[in-house]
Amino acid sequence: MSELASQKNEPCRLIASIGGEPDHLVSALSLVDPRTDWIEVRLDQVPKDAVQSLIAAPSLPIVATCRRKQDGGQFEGDEIERGSRLEAASRAGAAWIDLEWGSDLARHLQRFSPARIILSWHDFNGTPPDLGARFQAMRAVSGISLFKVVPTARRLHDLVAIRDLLRETDDLIAFAMGETGVASRVLAPVWGSRAIYAAGAEQATAPGQVSVGALLDQYRFRSLSPRTRMSGLLGRPLGHSLSPRLHNKSYATLSLDWVYVPFESESVEDLRDFMIALEISGVSVTLPHKEQVLSELDEMEPLVRDLGAANTIVRSGGRLRGHNTDAEAALAPLRRRIPLQDKKVVLLGAGGAARAFAFMLPREGCTVTVYNRTEERAKALACQAGIAWGRWNDLAADPYDLLIQTTPVGMHPRVEEMPVPREWLRGSLIYDIIYNPAETALLRAARSRGIETLDGVDMFVGQAAAQFELFTGVNAPRETMNRVMRTV
Ligand code: NAP
């Protein structure tokens, strides 16, 4: 058993990782968030003579590494030079030296005393099926204080492999790189990893690294524990999604021991086993998976069947149930603004979001015509939902009461774009479901023509609040959610 294996219940340490040339490192060290536990200093580009002053300066414990190109780093010298940089780091007071499993340096650990050793293994390509066996082989090395296993997650099942590894031991740092791996970084304290690496300066030192600030402030890293309940967002890409911020802020507001995590995945293939194995209570589903997830469900509310899309999955024991909170959230703000009975509605776009309007508005007594850039898709939606369709340019002269804009045109960052010319705007209300930004160029143009407007924030908050309630059984803090969305 290693030195630290006996120290159960050790907290998960937050390590800010910084790298670069010596000058850059000096300024990066001064910018490290003081709430960090340890700092990893990458010595790849630091000559031996500069090591002492860099390592001795910070008051926090230092993890020193020097990664070769073949190990994902920048170091290009020989093993003699690499070893002497790390020896210098230990002499200067580094608490830890990180050495790659199998490297020559890892065969002569005494030379790095008094620093303790982290023995690490990375895979930048994927997660091998024999991850557990590899870890057992690593453990045969003696004199190691902490082990570190970092593959790259390509699919949801790879996250299960990380959690399984962490279950077996308590002297292990394990997480996965890549966008799918982000979840394993956030959940490190829940799964019992002894530490997690975060971006300490403006630039990440590894793919998928989350910043120290985001871990602490958004994900409440310090309050996560094996008792924390998990929810999250399934889709791809998720980098710019506001949902983690919205849900986590809501959990914090109500002091709920929950966390909401991005589960970025190319496919939904492993979703069922993944949610059950990791005891994920529920997930929001976003592009491009809202339709494919139906095949993973045991049950679904009738609306999911009607729309052919689910944006929410709730796990109850070993069963998954699909819900659609988009449709009600799309309509509720409209109902609050105008009576819908007998209104002539134009729907711009025929994608996922348009479907909810196409199926629901006729039930409210509206006559709906869909216009889409790709005519075939407008025809198909019209046929499925029993509504009319029109040719894009005919909208110029088509009279309507209400226009609902569901294309991404005008979304951040291309905020000056409009899906239709200003002259085509008429009627009593223009509803643009884009929420980032809340005020789109289209809405500004509508107002300049004296037409009332409705933005997409209420819809976004509505669907998220309903998800929150399905996951937790607790009333969502809608005011907080609204504030979060309107201050992004
Ligand atoms: P989607 O399934 O990809 O559909 C996009 C639709 O927009 C398609 O009909 C597409 O036409 C059309 N389109 C795309 N680019 C266009 C362009 N340059 N000019 C004209 N039409 C274009 O996406 P979605 O899920 O429906 O989402 C669409 C928008 O709604 C996004 O901006 C999203 O943020 C927003 N949204 C908001 C909420 C909310 O809660 N407020 C919820 C869901 C979605 P083609 O068929 O020709 O490709």
Side-chain angles (χ1 to χ4, degrees):
M1 183 182 270
S2 74
E3 178 190 334
L4 293 178
S6 55
Q7 298 173 20
K8 283 197 184 275
N9 301 321
E10 278 279 321
C12 179
R13 305 289 184 181
L14 182 52
I15 307 179
S17 183
I18 55 173
E21 307 271 351
D23 284 353
H24 173 78
L25 277 171
V26 169
S27 73
L29 274 171
S30 69
L31 292 174
V32 166
D33 191 312
R35 298 171 296 169
T36 302
D37 295 312
W38 300 346
I39 304 174
E40 181 192 55
V41 180
R42 315 263 305 227
L43 300 174
D44 312 9
Q45 299 171 74
V46 179
K48 191 178 119 193
D49 296 346
V51 169
Q52 155 76 28
S53 58
L54 266 177
I55 298 293
S59 53
L60 293 171
I62 297 291
V63 179
T65 65
C66 185
R67 292 250 186 271
R68 299 170 294 190
K69 286 238 155 160
Q70 71 214 64
D71 299 317
Q74 302 291 327
F75 179 76
E76 289 184 297
D78 59 21
E79 286 300 83
I80 295 171
E81 167 63 16
R82 201 162 78 96
S84 63
R85 286 187 194 184
L86 292 169
E87 277 177 349
S90 175
R91 278 198 304 277
W96 301 91
I97 302 292
D98 179 323
L99 299 170
E100 302 79 15
W101 178 40
S103 66
D104 278 350
L105 295 184
R107 288 185 237 289
H108 307 284
L109 302 180
Q110 268 318 106
R111 61 188 284 204
F112 303 109
S113 180
R116 291 186 286 175
I117 303 297
I118 298 173
L119 189 68
S120 65
W121 175 80
H122 297 76
D123 186 332
F124 288 88
N125 296 315
T127 301
D130 62 346
L131 194 64
R134 284 178 198 236
F135 177 51
Q136 287 314 321
M138 269 178 97
R139 290 185 73 100
V141 180
S142 58
I144 303 302
S145 294
L146 279 176
F147 295 90
K148 178 179 164 198
V149 173
V150 189
T152 297
R154 298 273 174 223
R155 55 196 195 113
L156 295 173
H157 181 76
D158 296 340
L159 295 171
V160 180
I162 296 287
R163 194 285 312 262
D164 287 350
L165 210 57
L166 285 164
R167 275 219 290 219
E168 290 171 16
T169 181
D170 56 6
D171 54 1
L172 175 63
I173 300 168
F175 58 92
M177 292 181 286
E179 291 306 322
T180 303
V182 167
S184 66
R185 294 178 185 270
V186 175
L187 293 174
V190 179
W191 293 346
S193 177
R194 289 294 305 278
I196 194 65
Y197 292 69
E202 63 284 1
Q203 252 190 342
T205 56
Q209 216 171 55
V210 183
S211 72
V212 171
L215 283 179
L216 288 171
D217 301 328
Q218 187 183 140
Y219 293 107
R220 296 187 295 155
F221 180 85
R222 298 285 185 217
S223 59
L224 303 186
S225 77
R227 290 177 300 282
T228 303
R229 298 190 59 185
M230 290 165 277
S231 60
L233 174 63
L234 179 75
R236 181 186 154 96
L238 299 181
H240 296 292
S241 172
L242 298 174
S243 294
R245 203 186 305 186
L246 193 63
H247 283 265
N248 285 313
K249 181 71 182 166
S250 302
Y251 294 148
T253 300
L254 300 183
S255 301
L256 296 183
D257 188 8
W258 280 72
V259 64
Y260 186 95
V261 183
F263 297 121
E264 181 159 324
S265 175
E266 216 162 79
S267 95
V268 297
E269 177 196 355
D270 304 320
L271 181 66
R272 211 165 184 296
D273 294 344
F274 166 77
M275 284 186 69
I276 293 168
L278 295 185
E279 299 182 47
I280 309 291
S281 298
V283 290
S284 315
V285 185
T286 187
L287 291 176
H289 299 323
K290 287 186 184 185
E291 283 143 32
Q292 292 97 306
V293 289
L294 265 58
S295 61
E296 295 285 307
L297 303 176
D298 298 299
E299 309 162 16
M300 56 188 91
E301 59 176 7
L303 187 60
V304 170
R305 213 180 302 276
D306 288 352
L307 297 178
N311 76 327
T312 312
I313 299 175
V314 178
R315 181 184 62 83
S316 172
R319 293 179 71 76
L320 304 188
R321 180 174 167 83
H323 300 258
N324 190 307
T325 69
D326 278 338
E328 179 53 28
L331 257 62
L334 258 184
R335 286 199 206 99
R336 286 196 289 270
R337 286 293 288 276
I338 52 166
L340 290 171
Q341 186 66 41
D342 297 329
K343 288 287 180 299
K344 183 167 176 359
V345 181
V346 156
L347 195 52
L348 270 193
R355 283 185 80 76
F357 291 104
F359 281 86
M360 302 291 286
L361 283 171
R363 298 181 192 182
E364 305 276 328
C366 299
T367 312
V368 184
T369 307
V370 57
Y371 291 86
N372 193 50
R373 179 180 62 179
T374 308
E375 212 169 279
E376 287 312 310
R377 220 167 154 198
K379 274 189 211 169
L381 179 58
C383 177
Q384 288 162 18
I387 59 173
W389 68 275
R391 296 208 155 82
W392 191 263
N393 286 331
D394 292 347
L395 179 57
D398 189 359
Y400 56 82
D401 302 307
L402 163 64
L403 181 140
I404 304 177
Q405 150 25 47
T406 75
T407 80
V409 181
M411 224 170 102
H412 178 82
R414 297 164 73 169
V415 295
E416 293 309 321
E417 293 182 4
M418 300 219 312
V420 290
R422 191 175 173 278
E423 300 71 44
W424 293 14
L425 302 178
R426 59 186 80 91
S428 51
L429 182 69
I430 306 286
Y431 180 12
D432 191 339
I433 69 162
I434 287 175
Y435 52 85
N436 184 16
E439 184 177 91
T440 57
L442 184 78
L443 294 187
R444 275 198 303 279
R447 270 206 302 282
S448 74
R449 287 171 70 85
I451 307 168
E452 285 204 31
T453 61
L454 180 59
D455 66 40
V457 171
D458 285 353
M459 175 178 171
F460 193 80
V461 166
Q463 57 81 31
Q467 290 179 335
F468 181 100
E469 289 165 3
L470 283 165
F471 297 159
T472 64
V474 173
N475 285 341
R478 286 174 191 251
E479 279 204 4
T480 302
M481 289 181 149
N482 235 306
R483 217 174 24 252
V484 171
M485 292 301 297
R486 297 213 178 263
T487 51
V488 286

